[in-house]
Amino acid sequence: MNSNVTISLALLSLFASTAQANVSAEEAAKLGTTLTPWGSEKKGNADGTIPEYTGGMTQPPANYVKGSGRWVDPFAEEKPLFSINAKNMAQYGDKLTPGVQTLIKRWPDTYRVDIYPTHRTYPQMSAERAAATLKNATNPECKTVANGVGIAGCSNGVPFPIPSDGYQVMWNHALRERMPGGFEGRGTNLVVDAAGNLATPQVFSLYGTSPYWSGKNDYYYYSLTTTLSPARDAGGKLLIWYPLRYDEKDQRSWSYSTGQRRVRLAPEFSYDTPITQLGGVLFFDEANMFAGRMDRFDFKLVGKQEMYVPANAYKTVIAPINHVIGKQHVNPDDMRWELRRVWVVEASLKNGMRHAASKRRYYIEEDSWSIVASEGYDQGGKVFRVLLGHMGSNYVSGMGSVDFVSSLTGYDLARGGYTFVASQGDPKAYYLPVDKLPNNVFTPETMAGRGVR
């Protein structure tokens, strides 16, 4: 039987047994029919520049070497359809984020956006996970709690495939489907200062896993990062647990320093605390485009728009470091932009709360539920931070999306300088799915004793 038919039958069967729904019966019936089982529109747009969803990319390109962890660009031979720069930006202003427009205005002679054909590569969700997604949508116990700060009663699927508010969209991003069992990888963090000087690169290894997709409902993501170089920092580690019930549990962070030879709790690694390893360009709640507790901002769902955003960003991630890094910004030759439908969420700082940003806007791609772009506004309402996500589809496992150990570019427009997080441009870099990671990988007790690869 056709896999799409199998999924549709599973969805209909589950819906028929549901007595009470989080969304209306009419809305739920769209999942697996006019919408994909996880909530994106199947049809393309009116002029065909966004194609119909037909199942995505579930097999690696022919030149991918199995088990190597060295990803390749499936669209390496494609040429841009056209480019957007300072001269023609006004023509496309309705499809460019304010953050991207700010980058073009800041560097009118060098920054441009190359638009490529749109490929909806996100892999078709398995029947089991599609059924779990419908169960979440129709289960009144699957909900955000404490004004969106926490989430409860959801598991094994997209929690809110038909979202009704900004918090639900942000939780869809946090809980998006990635590597099925977990992953290990090695990458390089790059920081360019305001004068255009590249700091000593930070090479790191990382383990990560998303227990939410295994039905576990305490913490939704664990990550362990180990610094490999430079030598002065080698062996340092950072372990973070991200909880589902932020209203009941704090984010748990531990750091290990080889100089001190001890593991310590690091509760300050959150909100707008600058990440020192990234030159202070990013805050801890900007890791992974957004991560952390949603209690300082009101998250409003603006709606869905067609926007030019980074997409299928394989060539950005794998580009050689000496080619991708420019003095002021990433080399536009190494960026790929596509027209995508994105959910737009605006986060406004709550009265009485403190944060470096007064407002943020997030752009969440409809197929993957990944934040692909965002900008932050300072207290005067001026764009001071622009983040661009390096997302792709997981053609190795044929499930979910990949962000190559949270790869992104972050621009600090207030102080100058930018960071490229998790480049795979070094020949020793890799990113591999792991069926199952040992239970003690993500425990503070084993941080000091674990060797580096």
Side-chain angles (χ1 to χ4, degrees):
M1 182 180 290
N2 180 280
S3 61
N4 288 336
V5 175
T6 302
I7 291 173
S8 294
L9 290 175
L11 293 172
L12 290 172
S13 174
L14 182 59
F15 178 64
S17 64
T18 304
Q20 188 175 4
N22 243 358
V23 298
S24 70
E26 182 179 3
E27 288 178 308
K30 296 177 183 177
L31 295 171
T33 54
T34 58
L35 301 178
T36 65
W38 55 96
S40 57
E41 297 178 47
K42 281 188 175 181
K43 68 179 181 180
N45 64 357
D47 61 8
T49 49
I50 296 176
E52 178 184 3
Y53 180 80
T54 57
M57 180 179 288
T58 57
Q59 297 294 327
N63 57 338
Y64 174 78
V65 178
K66 184 177 180 180
S68 68
R70 298 290 297 169
W71 292 61
V72 297
D73 181 5
F75 311 111
E77 302 303 316
E78 284 192 348
K79 304 298 182 184
L81 298 172
F82 60 93
S83 296
I84 303 172
N85 53 39
K87 294 180 180 178
N88 65 354
M89 182 178 69
Q91 181 181 346
Y92 303 100
D94 62 329
K95 289 183 171 59
L96 292 173
T97 70
V100 172
Q101 293 185 51
T102 300
L103 297 181
I104 294 174
K105 292 175 182 177
R106 190 176 183 101
W107 299 296
D109 297 328
T110 57
Y111 199 89
R112 73 175 193 275
V113 174
D114 290 341
I115 307 301
Y116 287 80
T118 298
H119 297 283
R120 298 179 69 180
T121 54
Y122 186 81
Q124 174 71 54
M125 187 174 282
S126 70
E128 293 77 15
R129 291 188 169 187
T133 296
L134 182 69
K135 183 178 179 180
N136 288 336
T138 57
N139 176 11
E141 298 304 313
C142 174
K143 58 189 176 182
T144 60
V145 293
N147 296 318
V149 172
I151 186 172
C154 317
S155 65
N156 300 84
V158 175
F160 308 108
I162 304 177
S164 59
D165 62 44
Y167 293 94
Q168 291 184 354
V169 173
M170 297 299 287
W171 275 110
N172 284 350
H173 163 76
L175 303 181
R176 66 196 182 280
E177 185 180 28
R178 292 187 274 189
M179 293 293 191
F183 65 85
E184 63 172 298
R186 172 180 170 136
T188 305
N189 293 330
L190 306 163
V191 178
V192 178
D193 66 20
N197 301 310
L198 176 63
T200 302
Q202 181 205 23
V203 181
F204 65 92
S205 65
L206 186 139
Y207 292 97
T209 190
S210 302
Y212 166 85
W213 287 90
S214 301
K216 299 175 182 177
N217 288 313
D218 290 330
Y219 293 87
Y220 70 84
Y221 186 64
Y222 299 120
S223 70
L224 174 65
T225 306
T226 302
T227 299
L228 305 180
S229 68
R232 66 178 182 271
D233 301 320
K237 298 178 177 67
L238 176 62
L239 172 65
I240 302 181
W241 298 1
Y242 294 99
L244 290 163
R245 293 299 302 267
Y246 267 108
D247 56 314
E248 295 181 348
K249 299 176 183 289
D250 287 327
Q251 176 178 309
R252 304 279 282 171
S253 303
W254 296 266
S255 66
Y256 171 74
S257 167
T258 54
Q260 297 178 346
R261 295 191 177 186
R262 68 184 182 93
V263 176
R264 69 177 185 87
L265 275 169
E268 72 276 12
F269 290 170
S270 60
Y271 296 119
D272 54 353
T273 300
I275 303 175
T276 56
Q277 297 91 332
L278 300 178
V281 174
L282 293 187
F283 303 136
F284 270 93
D285 66 1
E286 292 174 323
N288 222 342
M289 300 299 288
F290 177 81
R293 188 191 295 263
M294 289 186 281
D295 62 336
R296 295 195 179 181
F297 291 83
D298 288 314
F299 290 83
K300 175 186 175 183
L301 180 57
V302 177
K304 188 184 285 189
Q305 297 177 226
E306 293 182 7
M307 307 287 287
Y308 293 120
V309 294
N312 287 315
Y314 307 97
K315 77 170 184 173
T316 308
V317 175
I318 66 177
I321 290 171
N322 62 357
H323 190 270
V324 74
I325 292 298
K327 283 189 170 295
Q328 298 169 317
H329 51 73
V330 165
N331 186 346
D333 292 343
D334 293 323
M335 290 287 289
R336 181 188 178 95
W337 302 75
E338 296 181 5
L339 184 65
R340 295 295 184 110
R341 285 186 292 243
V342 296
W343 293 97
V344 181
V345 174
E346 185 169 288
S348 300
L349 190 64
K350 292 181 177 179
N351 290 333
M353 290 291 185
R354 297 183 63 183
H355 196 282
S358 66
K359 184 176 73 173
R360 287 167 162 171
R361 285 175 70 91
Y362 298 95
Y363 306 88
I364 301 90
E365 196 271 327
E366 68 167 343
D367 286 333
S368 64
W369 291 109
S370 295
I371 299 175
V372 290
S374 75
E375 66 258 353
Y377 297 79
D378 62 21
Q379 303 305 317
K382 183 178 180 181
V383 174
F384 79 102
R385 180 84 90 247
V386 179
L387 304 186
L388 301 172
H390 305 155
M391 309 296 177
S393 296
N394 183 2
Y395 58 61
V396 172
S397 298
M399 300 174 69
S401 60
V402 293
D403 58 13
F404 305 100
V405 277
S406 305
S407 188
L408 62 89
T409 305
Y411 294 94
D412 183 345
L413 302 181
R415 298 187 308 151
Y418 72 96
T419 182
F420 186 125
V421 179
S423 164
Q424 294 278 298
D426 184 278
K428 293 182 179 180
Y430 68 93
Y431 184 73
L432 278 171
V434 179
D435 290 337
K436 186 178 180 180
L437 290 164
N439 292 331
N440 64 351
V441 167
F442 303 106
T443 61
E445 291 79 13
T446 60
M447 286 179 71
R450 183 168 298 279
V452 297
R453 177 169 175 169

mmCIF file with all atom_site columns, all heavy atoms in Angstrom, residues 219 241-243 245-253 267 271 293:
data_model
loop_
_atom_site.group_PDB
_atom_site.id
_atom_site.type_symbol
_atom_site.label_atom_id
_atom_site.label_alt_id
_atom_site.label_comp_id
_atom_site.label_asym_id
_atom_site.label_entity_id
_atom_site.label_seq_id
_atom_site.pdbx_PDB_ins_code
_atom_site.Cartn_x
_atom_site.Cartn_y
_atom_site.Cartn_z
_atom_site.occupancy
_atom_site.B_iso_or_equiv
_atom_site.pdbx_formal_charge
_atom_site.auth_seq_id
_atom_site.auth_comp_id
_atom_site.auth_asym_id
_atom_site.auth_atom_id
_atom_site.pdbx_PDB_model_num
ATOM 1   N N   . TYR A 1 219 ? 12.770 15.902 29.984 1.00 0.00 ? 219 TYR A N   1
ATOM 2   C CA  . TYR A 1 219 ? 13.630 16.829 29.248 1.00 0.00 ? 219 TYR A CA  1
ATOM 3   C C   . TYR A 1 219 ? 13.534 16.505 27.760 1.00 0.00 ? 219 TYR A C   1
ATOM 4   O O   . TYR A 1 219 ? 13.525 15.341 27.372 1.00 0.00 ? 219 TYR A O   1
ATOM 5   C CB  . TYR A 1 219 ? 15.079 16.721 29.725 1.00 0.00 ? 219 TYR A CB  1
ATOM 6   C CG  . TYR A 1 219 ? 15.261 17.204 31.143 1.00 0.00 ? 219 TYR A CG  1
ATOM 7   C CD1 . TYR A 1 219 ? 15.077 16.337 32.217 1.00 0.00 ? 219 TYR A CD1 1
ATOM 8   C CD2 . TYR A 1 219 ? 15.580 18.529 31.416 1.00 0.00 ? 219 TYR A CD2 1
ATOM 9   C CE1 . TYR A 1 219 ? 15.221 16.785 33.521 1.00 0.00 ? 219 TYR A CE1 1
ATOM 10  C CE2 . TYR A 1 219 ? 15.725 18.983 32.722 1.00 0.00 ? 219 TYR A CE2 1
ATOM 11  C CZ  . TYR A 1 219 ? 15.539 18.111 33.770 1.00 0.00 ? 219 TYR A CZ  1
ATOM 12  O OH  . TYR A 1 219 ? 15.669 18.551 35.056 1.00 0.00 ? 219 TYR A OH  1
ATOM 13  N N   . TRP A 1 241 ? 20.647 20.345 29.865 1.00 0.00 ? 241 TRP A N   1
ATOM 14  C CA  . TRP A 1 241 ? 19.371 19.637 29.796 1.00 0.00 ? 241 TRP A CA  1
ATOM 15  C C   . TRP A 1 241 ? 18.263 20.677 29.631 1.00 0.00 ? 241 TRP A C   1
ATOM 16  O O   . TRP A 1 241 ? 18.154 21.608 30.434 1.00 0.00 ? 241 TRP A O   1
ATOM 17  C CB  . TRP A 1 241 ? 19.095 18.860 31.081 1.00 0.00 ? 241 TRP A CB  1
ATOM 18  C CG  . TRP A 1 241 ? 20.064 17.767 31.430 1.00 0.00 ? 241 TRP A CG  1
ATOM 19  C CD1 . TRP A 1 241 ? 21.175 17.377 30.752 1.00 0.00 ? 241 TRP A CD1 1
ATOM 20  C CD2 . TRP A 1 241 ? 19.990 16.933 32.595 1.00 0.00 ? 241 TRP A CD2 1
ATOM 21  N NE1 . TRP A 1 241 ? 21.808 16.367 31.409 1.00 0.00 ? 241 TRP A NE1 1
ATOM 22  C CE2 . TRP A 1 241 ? 21.102 16.053 32.535 1.00 0.00 ? 241 TRP A CE2 1
ATOM 23  C CE3 . TRP A 1 241 ? 19.114 16.831 33.659 1.00 0.00 ? 241 TRP A CE3 1
ATOM 24  C CZ2 . TRP A 1 241 ? 21.330 15.090 33.525 1.00 0.00 ? 241 TRP A CZ2 1
ATOM 25  C CZ3 . TRP A 1 241 ? 19.340 15.884 34.636 1.00 0.00 ? 241 TRP A CZ3 1
ATOM 26  C CH2 . TRP A 1 241 ? 20.431 15.017 34.560 1.00 0.00 ? 241 TRP A CH2 1
ATOM 27  N N   . TYR A 1 242 ? 17.430 20.500 28.618 1.00 0.00 ? 242 TYR A N   1
ATOM 28  C CA  . TYR A 1 242 ? 16.317 21.420 28.370 1.00 0.00 ? 242 TYR A CA  1
ATOM 29  C C   . TYR A 1 242 ? 15.006 20.734 28.765 1.00 0.00 ? 242 TYR A C   1
ATOM 30  O O   . TYR A 1 242 ? 14.625 19.734 28.159 1.00 0.00 ? 242 TYR A O   1
ATOM 31  C CB  . TYR A 1 242 ? 16.264 21.812 26.895 1.00 0.00 ? 242 TYR A CB  1
ATOM 32  C CG  . TYR A 1 242 ? 17.438 22.633 26.417 1.00 0.00 ? 242 TYR A CG  1
ATOM 33  C CD1 . TYR A 1 242 ? 18.495 22.038 25.741 1.00 0.00 ? 242 TYR A CD1 1
ATOM 34  C CD2 . TYR A 1 242 ? 17.490 24.007 26.645 1.00 0.00 ? 242 TYR A CD2 1
ATOM 35  C CE1 . TYR A 1 242 ? 19.574 22.784 25.288 1.00 0.00 ? 242 TYR A CE1 1
ATOM 36  C CE2 . TYR A 1 242 ? 18.570 24.764 26.200 1.00 0.00 ? 242 TYR A CE2 1
ATOM 37  C CZ  . TYR A 1 242 ? 19.608 24.143 25.520 1.00 0.00 ? 242 TYR A CZ  1
ATOM 38  O OH  . TYR A 1 242 ? 20.675 24.885 25.083 1.00 0.00 ? 242 TYR A OH  1
ATOM 39  N N   . PRO A 1 243 ? 14.289 21.271 29.763 1.00 0.00 ? 243 PRO A N   1
ATOM 40  C CA  . PRO A 1 243 ? 13.076 20.598 30.251 1.00 0.00 ? 243 PRO A CA  1
ATOM 41  C C   . PRO A 1 243 ? 11.829 20.949 29.448 1.00 0.00 ? 243 PRO A C   1
ATOM 42  O O   . PRO A 1 243 ? 11.737 22.017 28.840 1.00 0.00 ? 243 PRO A O   1
ATOM 43  C CB  . PRO A 1 243 ? 12.947 21.118 31.684 1.00 0.00 ? 243 PRO A CB  1
ATOM 44  C CG  . PRO A 1 243 ? 13.504 22.508 31.605 1.00 0.00 ? 243 PRO A CG  1
ATOM 45  C CD  . PRO A 1 243 ? 14.634 22.435 30.598 1.00 0.00 ? 243 PRO A CD  1
ATOM 46  N N   . ARG A 1 245 ? 8.804  20.896 31.137 1.00 0.00 ? 245 ARG A N   1
ATOM 47  C CA  . ARG A 1 245 ? 8.036  21.648 32.130 1.00 0.00 ? 245 ARG A CA  1
ATOM 48  C C   . ARG A 1 245 ? 8.922  22.745 32.727 1.00 0.00 ? 245 ARG A C   1
ATOM 49  O O   . ARG A 1 245 ? 9.366  22.659 33.867 1.00 0.00 ? 245 ARG A O   1
ATOM 50  C CB  . ARG A 1 245 ? 7.502  20.714 33.208 1.00 0.00 ? 245 ARG A CB  1
ATOM 51  C CG  . ARG A 1 245 ? 6.461  19.717 32.737 1.00 0.00 ? 245 ARG A CG  1
ATOM 52  C CD  . ARG A 1 245 ? 5.204  20.391 32.176 1.00 0.00 ? 245 ARG A CD  1
ATOM 53  N NE  . ARG A 1 245 ? 4.571  21.260 33.134 1.00 0.00 ? 245 ARG A NE  1
ATOM 54  C CZ  . ARG A 1 245 ? 3.589  20.882 33.962 1.00 0.00 ? 245 ARG A CZ  1
ATOM 55  N NH1 . ARG A 1 245 ? 3.134  19.627 33.921 1.00 0.00 ? 245 ARG A NH1 1
ATOM 56  N NH2 . ARG A 1 245 ? 3.043  21.737 34.803 1.00 0.00 ? 245 ARG A NH2 1
ATOM 57  N N   . TYR A 1 246 ? 9.166  23.789 31.928 1.00 0.00 ? 246 TYR A N   1
ATOM 58  C CA  . TYR A 1 246 ? 9.943  24.919 32.428 1.00 0.00 ? 246 TYR A CA  1
ATOM 59  C C   . TYR A 1 246 ? 9.246  25.594 33.604 1.00 0.00 ? 246 TYR A C   1
ATOM 60  O O   . TYR A 1 246 ? 9.882  26.330 34.365 1.00 0.00 ? 246 TYR A O   1
ATOM 61  C CB  . TYR A 1 246 ? 10.159 25.943 31.321 1.00 0.00 ? 246 TYR A CB  1
ATOM 62  C CG  . TYR A 1 246 ? 11.450 25.780 30.552 1.00 0.00 ? 246 TYR A CG  1
ATOM 63  C CD1 . TYR A 1 246 ? 11.454 25.304 29.257 1.00 0.00 ? 246 TYR A CD1 1
ATOM 64  C CD2 . TYR A 1 246 ? 12.676 26.124 31.126 1.00 0.00 ? 246 TYR A CD2 1
ATOM 65  C CE1 . TYR A 1 246 ? 12.637 25.177 28.536 1.00 0.00 ? 246 TYR A CE1 1
ATOM 66  C CE2 . TYR A 1 246 ? 13.859 25.997 30.428 1.00 0.00 ? 246 TYR A CE2 1
ATOM 67  C CZ  . TYR A 1 246 ? 13.835 25.522 29.128 1.00 0.00 ? 246 TYR A CZ  1
ATOM 68  O OH  . TYR A 1 246 ? 15.014 25.390 28.435 1.00 0.00 ? 246 TYR A OH  1
ATOM 69  N N   . ASP A 1 247 ? 7.949  25.366 33.741 1.00 0.00 ? 247 ASP A N   1
ATOM 70  C CA  . ASP A 1 247 ? 7.230  25.948 34.878 1.00 0.00 ? 247 ASP A CA  1
ATOM 71  C C   . ASP A 1 247 ? 7.540  25.200 36.169 1.00 0.00 ? 247 ASP A C   1
ATOM 72  O O   . ASP A 1 247 ? 7.298  25.727 37.261 1.00 0.00 ? 247 ASP A O   1
ATOM 73  C CB  . ASP A 1 247 ? 5.724  25.927 34.616 1.00 0.00 ? 247 ASP A CB  1
ATOM 74  C CG  . ASP A 1 247 ? 5.210  24.526 34.304 1.00 0.00 ? 247 ASP A CG  1
ATOM 75  O OD1 . ASP A 1 247 ? 5.861  23.825 33.492 1.00 0.00 ? 247 ASP A OD1 1
ATOM 76  O OD2 . ASP A 1 247 ? 4.169  24.140 34.850 1.00 0.00 ? 247 ASP A OD2 1
ATOM 77  N N   . GLU A 1 248 ? 8.082  23.975 36.056 1.00 0.00 ? 248 GLU A N   1
ATOM 78  C CA  . GLU A 1 248 ? 8.388  23.172 37.239 1.00 0.00 ? 248 GLU A CA  1
ATOM 79  C C   . GLU A 1 248 ? 9.885  22.908 37.414 1.00 0.00 ? 248 GLU A C   1
ATOM 80  O O   . GLU A 1 248 ? 10.353 22.706 38.529 1.00 0.00 ? 248 GLU A O   1
ATOM 81  C CB  . GLU A 1 248 ? 7.660  21.826 37.158 1.00 0.00 ? 248 GLU A CB  1
ATOM 82  C CG  . GLU A 1 248 ? 6.153  21.938 37.207 1.00 0.00 ? 248 GLU A CG  1
ATOM 83  C CD  . GLU A 1 248 ? 5.468  20.589 37.145 1.00 0.00 ? 248 GLU A CD  1
ATOM 84  O OE1 . GLU A 1 248 ? 6.139  19.569 36.843 1.00 0.00 ? 248 GLU A OE1 1
ATOM 85  O OE2 . GLU A 1 248 ? 4.249  20.531 37.405 1.00 0.00 ? 248 GLU A OE2 1
ATOM 86  N N   . LYS A 1 249 ? 10.606 22.865 36.300 1.00 0.00 ? 249 LYS A N   1
ATOM 87  C CA  . LYS A 1 249 ? 12.027 22.542 36.342 1.00 0.00 ? 249 LYS A CA  1
ATOM 88  C C   . LYS A 1 249 ? 12.834 23.677 35.710 1.00 0.00 ? 249 LYS A C   1
ATOM 89  O O   . LYS A 1 249 ? 12.386 24.314 34.759 1.00 0.00 ? 249 LYS A O   1
ATOM 90  C CB  . LYS A 1 249 ? 12.326 21.246 35.574 1.00 0.00 ? 249 LYS A CB  1
ATOM 91  C CG  . LYS A 1 249 ? 11.632 20.003 36.100 1.00 0.00 ? 249 LYS A CG  1
ATOM 92  C CD  . LYS A 1 249 ? 11.941 18.821 35.201 1.00 0.00 ? 249 LYS A CD  1
ATOM 93  C CE  . LYS A 1 249 ? 11.223 17.561 35.644 1.00 0.00 ? 249 LYS A CE  1
ATOM 94  N NZ  . LYS A 1 249 ? 11.790 17.024 36.880 1.00 0.00 ? 249 LYS A NZ  1
ATOM 95  N N   . ASP A 1 250 ? 14.021 23.884 36.222 1.00 0.00 ? 250 ASP A N   1
ATOM 96  C CA  . ASP A 1 250 ? 14.934 24.831 35.597 1.00 0.00 ? 250 ASP A CA  1
ATOM 97  C C   . ASP A 1 250 ? 15.733 24.125 34.514 1.00 0.00 ? 250 ASP A C   1
ATOM 98  O O   . ASP A 1 250 ? 15.926 22.910 34.547 1.00 0.00 ? 250 ASP A O   1
ATOM 99  C CB  . ASP A 1 250 ? 15.910 25.405 36.630 1.00 0.00 ? 250 ASP A CB  1
ATOM 100 C CG  . ASP A 1 250 ? 15.237 26.396 37.564 1.00 0.00 ? 250 ASP A CG  1
ATOM 101 O OD1 . ASP A 1 250 ? 14.311 27.085 37.108 1.00 0.00 ? 250 ASP A OD1 1
ATOM 102 O OD2 . ASP A 1 250 ? 15.649 26.464 38.737 1.00 0.00 ? 250 ASP A OD2 1
ATOM 103 N N   . GLN A 1 251 ? 16.197 24.908 33.548 1.00 0.00 ? 251 GLN A N   1
ATOM 104 C CA  . GLN A 1 251 ? 17.196 24.383 32.619 1.00 0.00 ? 251 GLN A CA  1
ATOM 105 C C   . GLN A 1 251 ? 18.424 24.019 33.439 1.00 0.00 ? 251 GLN A C   1
ATOM 106 O O   . GLN A 1 251 ? 18.870 24.788 34.290 1.00 0.00 ? 251 GLN A O   1
ATOM 107 C CB  . GLN A 1 251 ? 17.532 25.453 31.589 1.00 0.00 ? 251 GLN A CB  1
ATOM 108 C CG  . GLN A 1 251 ? 18.622 25.080 30.614 1.00 0.00 ? 251 GLN A CG  1
ATOM 109 C CD  . GLN A 1 251 ? 18.848 26.197 29.615 1.00 0.00 ? 251 GLN A CD  1
ATOM 110 O OE1 . GLN A 1 251 ? 17.910 26.678 28.993 1.00 0.00 ? 251 GLN A OE1 1
ATOM 111 N NE2 . GLN A 1 251 ? 20.103 26.631 29.484 1.00 0.00 ? 251 GLN A NE2 1
ATOM 112 N N   . ARG A 1 252 ? 18.978 22.839 33.186 1.00 0.00 ? 252 ARG A N   1
ATOM 113 C CA  . ARG A 1 252 ? 20.132 22.372 33.951 1.00 0.00 ? 252 ARG A CA  1
ATOM 114 C C   . ARG A 1 252 ? 21.386 22.498 33.089 1.00 0.00 ? 252 ARG A C   1
ATOM 115 O O   . ARG A 1 252 ? 21.447 21.956 31.981 1.00 0.00 ? 252 ARG A O   1
ATOM 116 C CB  . ARG A 1 252 ? 19.936 20.926 34.378 1.00 0.00 ? 252 ARG A CB  1
ATOM 117 C CG  . ARG A 1 252 ? 18.653 20.682 35.166 1.00 0.00 ? 252 ARG A CG  1
ATOM 118 C CD  . ARG A 1 252 ? 18.812 21.052 36.612 1.00 0.00 ? 252 ARG A CD  1
ATOM 119 N NE  . ARG A 1 252 ? 19.533 20.027 37.355 1.00 0.00 ? 252 ARG A NE  1
ATOM 120 C CZ  . ARG A 1 252 ? 19.964 20.182 38.607 1.00 0.00 ? 252 ARG A CZ  1
ATOM 121 N NH1 . ARG A 1 252 ? 19.760 21.334 39.236 1.00 0.00 ? 252 ARG A NH1 1
ATOM 122 N NH2 . ARG A 1 252 ? 20.605 19.204 39.224 1.00 0.00 ? 252 ARG A NH2 1
ATOM 123 N N   . SER A 1 253 ? 22.387 23.212 33.591 1.00 0.00 ? 253 SER A N   1
ATOM 124 C CA  . SER A 1 253 ? 23.624 23.420 32.849 1.00 0.00 ? 253 SER A CA  1
ATOM 125 C C   . SER A 1 253 ? 24.801 23.149 33.776 1.00 0.00 ? 253 SER A C   1
ATOM 126 O O   . SER A 1 253 ? 24.812 23.587 34.931 1.00 0.00 ? 253 SER A O   1
ATOM 127 C CB  . SER A 1 253 ? 23.716 24.859 32.324 1.00 0.00 ? 253 SER A CB  1
ATOM 128 O OG  . SER A 1 253 ? 22.611 25.181 31.515 1.00 0.00 ? 253 SER A OG  1
ATOM 129 N N   . PRO A 1 267 ? 23.976 27.888 36.294 1.00 0.00 ? 267 PRO A N   1
ATOM 130 C CA  . PRO A 1 267 ? 22.626 28.400 36.035 1.00 0.00 ? 267 PRO A CA  1
ATOM 131 C C   . PRO A 1 267 ? 22.616 29.704 35.258 1.00 0.00 ? 267 PRO A C   1
ATOM 132 O O   . PRO A 1 267 ? 21.593 30.086 34.697 1.00 0.00 ? 267 PRO A O   1
ATOM 133 C CB  . PRO A 1 267 ? 22.037 28.576 37.437 1.00 0.00 ? 267 PRO A CB  1
ATOM 134 C CG  . PRO A 1 267 ? 23.228 28.751 38.326 1.00 0.00 ? 267 PRO A CG  1
ATOM 135 C CD  . PRO A 1 267 ? 24.305 27.885 37.727 1.00 0.00 ? 267 PRO A CD  1
ATOM 136 N N   . TYR A 1 271 ? 19.089 32.835 29.064 1.00 0.00 ? 271 TYR A N   1
ATOM 137 C CA  . TYR A 1 271 ? 18.599 34.165 28.699 1.00 0.00 ? 271 TYR A CA  1
ATOM 138 C C   . TYR A 1 271 ? 19.643 34.929 27.874 1.00 0.00 ? 271 TYR A C   1
ATOM 139 O O   . TYR A 1 271 ? 20.203 34.398 26.924 1.00 0.00 ? 271 TYR A O   1
ATOM 140 C CB  . TYR A 1 271 ? 18.175 34.942 29.936 1.00 0.00 ? 271 TYR A CB  1
ATOM 141 C CG  . TYR A 1 271 ? 17.005 34.349 30.674 1.00 0.00 ? 271 TYR A CG  1
ATOM 142 C CD1 . TYR A 1 271 ? 17.139 33.928 31.998 1.00 0.00 ? 271 TYR A CD1 1
ATOM 143 C CD2 . TYR A 1 271 ? 15.754 34.203 30.061 1.00 0.00 ? 271 TYR A CD2 1
ATOM 144 C CE1 . TYR A 1 271 ? 16.053 33.396 32.690 1.00 0.00 ? 271 TYR A CE1 1
ATOM 145 C CE2 . TYR A 1 271 ? 14.665 33.680 30.748 1.00 0.00 ? 271 TYR A CE2 1
ATOM 146 C CZ  . TYR A 1 271 ? 14.816 33.273 32.058 1.00 0.00 ? 271 TYR A CZ  1
ATOM 147 O OH  . TYR A 1 271 ? 13.763 32.741 32.739 1.00 0.00 ? 271 TYR A OH  1
ATOM 148 N N   . ARG A 1 293 ? 13.760 29.185 28.417 1.00 0.00 ? 293 ARG A N   1
ATOM 149 C CA  . ARG A 1 293 ? 12.468 29.467 29.029 1.00 0.00 ? 293 ARG A CA  1
ATOM 150 C C   . ARG A 1 293 ? 11.800 30.669 28.351 1.00 0.00 ? 293 ARG A C   1
ATOM 151 O O   . ARG A 1 293 ? 12.429 31.685 28.093 1.00 0.00 ? 293 ARG A O   1
ATOM 152 C CB  . ARG A 1 293 ? 12.669 29.762 30.524 1.00 0.00 ? 293 ARG A CB  1
ATOM 153 C CG  . ARG A 1 293 ? 11.380 29.893 31.323 1.00 0.00 ? 293 ARG A CG  1
ATOM 154 C CD  . ARG A 1 293 ? 11.693 30.437 32.713 1.00 0.00 ? 293 ARG A CD  1
ATOM 155 N NE  . ARG A 1 293 ? 12.496 29.505 33.478 1.00 0.00 ? 293 ARG A NE  1
ATOM 156 C CZ  . ARG A 1 293 ? 12.004 28.632 34.366 1.00 0.00 ? 293 ARG A CZ  1
ATOM 157 N NH1 . ARG A 1 293 ? 10.695 28.578 34.561 1.00 0.00 ? 293 ARG A NH1 1
ATOM 158 N NH2 . ARG A 1 293 ? 12.796 27.826 35.026 1.00 0.00 ? 293 ARG A NH2 1
#
